[in-house]
Amino acid sequence: MLAPVPRPPGSLAVRCSRALLAPRARLSLLVLLLLTAASLVVLYEPQRLLASGWPPRTSGGGAVLLFALAYGVCTAAFVPRPVLNLAAGALFGSAAGLTGAVAGTVLGAGISFTLGRYLGQDALRPLLRGRLLTAADGQLSRHGFRSMLAIRLFPGVPFAAANYCAAVSRMKYAPFLLATGIGTVPNTAAYVVAGAQAGSPGSPAFLFSAGFIVLSGLGAAVVAWRKRHGLRSPAAAPVPVPARGDTPEPELVAGAR
């Protein structure tokens, strides 16, 4: 009697789905999406479309809502936020422009966080090596809201880089989005007011917003330099502790004091 032929462990469809859902395959898809988005931004420059008053046939709350949706998609595609913030102020004024810009910022951060979490986290977490990356991952994972709030308040960290670093860490959605919404208000408001008052550059509001942008940029540069200098400085050598029953040397005792 012939022995039964063993069946393959899985069908072709199952093996293909496993290969497509593998961490490296999802990371490759994320890289492809980001490269495509960046290429489209370079080719079509959607920030010009928003700054020119798109959409032309809508007004009021509907226009602000559509602007916020487009703002979120554009920030996820690496369009610079300062340009969009200036456009929000020029199109809708200070109050409505700030509302649309903050809403679009939170939306864009959520899109980037979702893409990074589901397409890149499993493949990138095993690659976290080195003192700087390990410290950043631990800080974001343990103190998510506080760390992200500090990052958003100081504009030195690129918006997209902060989004994907948070996605690779173990930070939760709620603290990430809440810290983004709160932390981006001061800097976003400065750009929106500058855009709203661009027609009168000598006004106090424009001068105050421009001064805030300059000072916040300088402050972020100083903080980044100090953090980098602190990470490069060698750690203090631990004081050797004598074993039980051993008589400590006088030099060690003096050094411990």
Side-chain angles (χ1 to χ4, degrees), residues 136-235:
D137 175 67
Q139 187 72 17
L140 289 173
S141 299
R142 292 190 300 269
H143 310 288
F145 175 81
R146 184 175 65 189
S147 302
M148 185 53 57
L149 183 63
I151 290 174
R152 298 307 192 192
L153 286 174
F154 292 97
V157 180
F159 183 72
N163 295 337
Y164 289 107
C165 287
V168 174
S169 71
R170 292 187 175 91
M171 183 185 294
K172 304 298 183 183
Y173 267 95
F176 171 77
L177 295 178
L178 184 61
T180 298
I182 296 175
T184 56
V185 168
N187 193 259
T188 302
Y191 278 96
V192 170
V193 172
Q197 301 294 326
S200 54
S203 63
F206 181 87
L207 294 177
F208 179 80
S209 60
F212 180 85
I213 293 171
V214 173
L215 291 178
S216 62
L218 292 176
V222 171
V223 171
W225 181 83
R226 294 185 62 181
K227 290 292 185 181
R228 184 177 181 182
H229 182 72
L231 289 174
R232 285 185 172 183
S233 61

Side-chain angles (χ1 to χ4, degrees), residues 231-250:
L231 289 174
R232 285 185 172 183
S233 61
V239 177
V241 179
R244 182 178 297 179
D246 295 343
T247 302
E249 297 293 336

Side-chain angles (χ1 to χ4, degrees), residues 29 79 161 241:
L29 178 59
V79 175
V241 179

Side-chain angles (χ1 to χ4, degrees), residues 11-118:
S11 63
L12 179 61
V14 173
R15 292 197 297 271
C16 291
S17 62
R18 289 178 179 176
L20 292 175
L21 295 177
R24 290 186 179 180
R26 285 182 287 163
L27 179 61
S28 301
L29 178 59
L30 176 61
V31 173
L32 179 61
L33 289 175
L34 297 181
L35 291 176
T36 303
S39 301
L40 291 176
V41 168
V42 173
L43 290 175
Y44 296 102
E45 297 183 351
Q47 64 272 21
R48 289 189 176 183
L49 185 63
L50 294 179
S52 62
W54 181 89
R57 297 183 180 179
T58 56
S59 60
V64 175
L65 177 60
L66 290 177
F67 181 88
L69 294 175
Y71 186 115
V73 175
C74 287
T75 52
F78 306 109
V79 175
R81 288 183 59 248
V83 176
L84 299 177
N85 293 333
L86 291 172
L91 293 175
F92 305 109
S94 299
L98 179 60
T99 302
V102 172
T105 298
V106 175
L107 176 61
I111 293 173
S112 300
F113 188 87
T114 302
L115 291 175
R117 176 60 54 90
Y118 289 102

